[in-house]
Amino acid sequence: MFRKILIANRGEIAVRVARTCRELGIPTVAVHSTADRDSAVVRLADEAVQIGPPPPAQSYLNAAAVLQAAEQTGADAIHPGYGFLSESPDFADACEAAGITLIGPSAPVMAALGDKTSARALMTRAGLPLLPGSVDPLDAEAARELATTIGFPVIIKAAAGGGGRGMQVVHDPAVFADDFRRTQATAQMLFGDGRVYVEKYLAKARHVEVQVLCDGHGNAVHLGERDCTVQRRHQKLIEETPAPHLPDGLAERMGRSAVEGALAAGYVGAGTFEFLVDPDGSYYFMEVNCRIQVEHPVTEMVTGIDLVREQILIAAGAELTITQPDVRPRGVAIECRINAEDPAAGFAPTPGPVEEFVPAGGPFVRVDTHVFPGYRIPPNYDSLLAKLVVWAPERDAAIARMRRALAEFRVRGPRVSTTSEFLSGVLDDSRFRSVAHTTSLVDEMLG
Ligand code: ADP
């Protein structure tokens, strides 16, 4: 087992990882920017190292500074959380060169799956169903021809994309060439990689993803699916498991596809296979996330499996002790992501001091957060404040419990607003209640 784990992240996920490390009896090192000097993880971890100024490029994305902190504190493993360096093959390589274990898949696997075009090629070979589209990045003319062949609408996506950015839906062939060039430029700006590709756009789809766990000994299981259909600008807001009202047998087929895909890729660690589900019951592979997901707690709530613990054990070389028949999800879990944003101002971020903070509590409620009274939300990072997670035996009861928990949850500050009321509105929407919603629900609600 590891002597000491460095947590190369911030916010709620850094706190989440520190908690499991403590349960495992493994000392932790928090790294932080100057903006996060007084953060919750700095208080919770055994040691803390300041690695740079607030801009992520100079702190949480600064691989050399993170590695130096690991060397200086004698950490022999790094948990990267999500975002930042978590899916960087270069960082994985640098960790290996420094003799430090990165808790996640190897650099070559990360590289093969992190690039959406090479992931598409790999999963096509593994026999997973994919939406019609290009396998290789294309130039504008070839892309337009392909778009015409597969039929509009299409979506142009950055090969290196992530976080719902670097994507453009095109309904009108006349604007395709302009949109294509614009997406290339955006991709270059955001990801330093202008390669884009084209696939069929499913206007009425649900986002359903499968959690897998694979060890380094050839064992792989899936832990069921999560429905992440409630999104705004391709970013998830509410997630639930199981995915409600799927056609019989579909979740099992998707689970098997994910395990086959993971084995074909030589995947080791916790990973997520994302799919789109069409109203006709077809499902299509979208991408693999080579890290812990924001929404992992819903899977933990129904399976009783601590995913961060499994990540750490797998990275330490242990064999999986969970077999597929051991995975028997119970009940329903829902997660709401509460962001420091003002829905009335186009969801603009609302950083600033937090004067009052009341997390929800009570039966079957879990709150993953880094916020406390007196906390100052820095303007430099994403706006996630807390994840409110509830469990209940059935979906209606879980929705009622989430409504109750959202009403209890309170963050107040002179400039801070949150999305909690907006999320309550989504839970009340008849389309969400009756599972008639698609990834366009939030756009439809906002009109
Ligand atoms: P990212 O890596 O940026 O998260 P994804 O490829 O996972 O991007 O897509 C994010 C979201 O965008 C999906 O959950 C879905 O709502 C939407 N999306 C992506 N591709 C398609 C598609 N071909 N058709 C319809 N919606 C799509």
Side-chain angles (χ1 to χ4, degrees):
M1 187 40 77
F2 302 117
R3 275 192 318 273
K4 199 184 270 186
I5 293 179
L6 180 141
I7 304 165
N9 215 295
R10 63 175 304 282
E12 67 82 22
I13 193 65
V15 173
R16 160 75 191 87
V17 172
R19 285 179 165 147
T20 286
C21 290
R22 178 146 299 168
E23 289 175 18
L24 287 169
I26 305 172
T28 49
V29 181
V31 291
H32 62 91
S33 70
T34 51
D36 285 331
R37 173 182 300 125
D38 301 317
S39 66
V41 71
V42 167
R43 298 175 186 195
L44 201 61
D46 297 283
E47 288 169 76
V49 180
Q50 188 169 301
I51 50 166
Q58 294 169 54
S59 49
Y60 299 104
L61 283 169
N62 182 345
V66 171
L67 277 171
Q68 199 195 336
E71 278 163 10
Q72 157 196 339
T73 53
D76 52 349
I78 295 181
H79 195 300
Y82 51 70
F84 297 125
L85 294 167
S86 64
E87 292 181 286
S88 160
D90 288 345
F91 182 60
D93 266 336
C95 288
E96 195 179 343
I100 294 170
T101 304
L102 180 68
I103 299 172
S106 66
V109 170
M110 243 186 227
L113 295 175
D115 181 301
K116 293 188 186 202
T117 55
S118 80
R120 270 176 75 82
L122 214 160
M123 292 308 149
T124 307
R125 287 200 298 279
L128 270 61
L130 271 84
L131 282 166
S134 53
V135 168
D136 296 316
L138 296 170
D139 62 39
E141 188 45 37
R144 202 186 48 76
E145 265 172 41
L146 181 75
T148 309
T149 312
I150 61 183
F152 285 84
V154 296
I155 183 166
I156 305 167
K157 288 187 176 182
R165 300 181 308 164
M167 284 189 272
Q168 179 65 47
V169 181
V170 193
H171 292 272
D172 176 3
V175 300
F176 180 85
D178 280 351
D179 280 348
F180 189 85
R181 282 189 203 96
R182 203 171 316 118
T183 312
Q184 279 179 318
T186 308
Q188 183 63 41
M189 187 186 72
L190 289 174
F191 311 110
D193 178 346
R195 293 172 308 130
V196 300
Y197 67 102
V198 172
E199 71 184 24
K200 179 82 193 155
Y201 180 71
L202 286 185
K204 294 211 174 311
R206 280 167 64 186
H207 173 120
V208 180
E209 59 186 31
V210 176
Q211 177 71 54
V212 297
L213 280 180
C214 311
D215 66 16
H217 308 273
N219 304 303
V221 293
H222 72 83
L223 303 186
E225 79 286 0
R226 294 182 287 256
D227 186 317
C228 314
T229 300
V230 179
Q231 305 179 349
R232 180 178 162 269
R233 299 211 168 148
H234 309 304
Q235 290 177 6
K236 300 160 189 169
L237 297 180
I238 300 177
E239 301 96 346
E240 61 182 303
T241 186
H245 298 196
L246 284 187
D248 274 354
L250 181 57
E252 289 74 18
R253 285 207 301 284
M254 293 174 71
R256 277 199 300 277
S257 283
V259 167
E260 282 160 18
L263 289 171
Y267 198 89
V268 174
T272 297
F273 279 67
E274 296 192 330
F275 299 96
L276 284 174
V277 175
D278 196 64
D280 73 4
S282 312
Y283 68 101
Y284 303 98
F285 167 80
M286 217 169 11
E287 65 162 347
V288 184
N289 288 138
C290 294
R291 50 165 165 83
I292 194 80
Q293 298 274 96
V294 176
E295 59 274 21
H296 77 277
V298 292
T299 300
E300 296 186 327
M301 297 288 267
V302 299
T303 60
I305 294 167
D306 177 337
L307 280 165
V308 173
R309 179 177 183 274
E310 295 305 320
Q311 284 189 297
I312 294 170
L313 296 181
I314 290 169
E319 225 176 302
L320 266 182
T321 53
I322 305 160
T323 64
Q324 200 60 61
D326 298 331
V327 182
R328 288 188 297 271
R330 251 189 88 229
V332 172
I334 304 180
E335 173 182 280
C336 279
R337 301 189 188 191
I338 301 180
N339 294 332
E341 292 170 1
D342 183 359
F347 293 83
T350 58
V354 171
E355 285 163 359
E356 189 189 359
F357 177 65
V358 185
F364 305 103
V365 174
R366 164 174 169 179
V367 185
D368 279 23
T369 185
H370 55 295
V371 179
F372 50 86
Y375 178 67
R376 227 189 148 76
I377 304 164
N380 318 82
Y381 310 109
D382 77 49
S383 56
L384 182 64
L385 281 186
K387 302 183 317 203
L388 210 51
V389 189
V390 302
W391 183 92
E394 265 140 38
R395 188 171 188 261
D396 286 346
I399 293 173
R401 181 160 280 151
M402 182 60 89
R403 293 282 283 110
R404 188 270 290 170
L406 280 170
E408 275 177 35
F409 182 91
R410 192 158 4 148
V411 180
R412 288 267 161 83
R415 286 186 296 280
V416 176
S417 344
T418 79
T419 50
S420 64
E421 255 178 59
F422 177 79
L423 294 167
S424 289
V426 177
L427 295 176
D428 286 344
D429 189 281
S430 60
R431 289 159 288 192
F432 177 77
R433 295 254 168 169
S434 61
V435 200
H437 62 304
T438 68
T439 51
S440 320
L441 174 69
V442 170
D443 284 342
E444 290 161 13
M445 287 177 66
L446 294 171

